[in-house]
Amino acid sequence: MIDLRSDTVTQPTAAMRLAMSRAEVGDDVYGDDPSVNHLQEMAADMFGFESALFTCSGTQANLLALMAHCERGDEYLCGQQAHNYKFEGGRGCFR
């Protein structure tokens, strides 16, 4: 079983490394990476959305989701057990 909890926990297999080394690449900022484009299209189709966005981490995805609803300087309410409060607030993980 492959543990996909975190990029610091997951260690790629030899097959994964081979696939990465052979992958066609492009600049995803300009929309030129076929792997990222395929992943986004596949995710959008899978969940019935018009489009999807690949982020390099869950932390980045959570920040984008919050910023889609809030502007800079806004506050939001969440529970003390919320992941973003406990682990992404810069100091929450040390409480």
Side-chain angles (χ1 to χ4, degrees), residues 36-79:
V36 171
N37 292 342
H38 176 70
L39 176 64
Q40 293 177 154
E41 291 167 7
M42 186 175 67
D45 290 343
M46 188 181 304
F47 294 105
F49 288 100
E50 183 178 325
S51 61
L53 178 66
F54 173 76
T55 62
C56 61
S57 70
T59 299
Q60 183 182 31
N62 288 339
L63 178 61
L64 291 172
L66 284 171
M67 294 202 65
H69 297 284
C70 303
E71 295 184 18
R72 292 188 185 278
D74 285 353
E75 296 181 11
Y76 68 96
L77 298 175
C78 66

Side-chain angles (χ1 to χ4, degrees), residues 3 13 16 22 33 42 48 65 70 72-73 76:
D3 185 348
T13 64
M16 293 165 114
R22 293 182 175 172
D33 189 299
M42 186 175 67
C70 303
R72 292 188 185 278
Y76 68 96

Side-chain angles (χ1 to χ4, degrees), residues 13-23:
T13 64
M16 293 165 114
R17 290 181 187 273
L18 182 61
M20 287 186 275
S21 71
R22 293 182 175 172

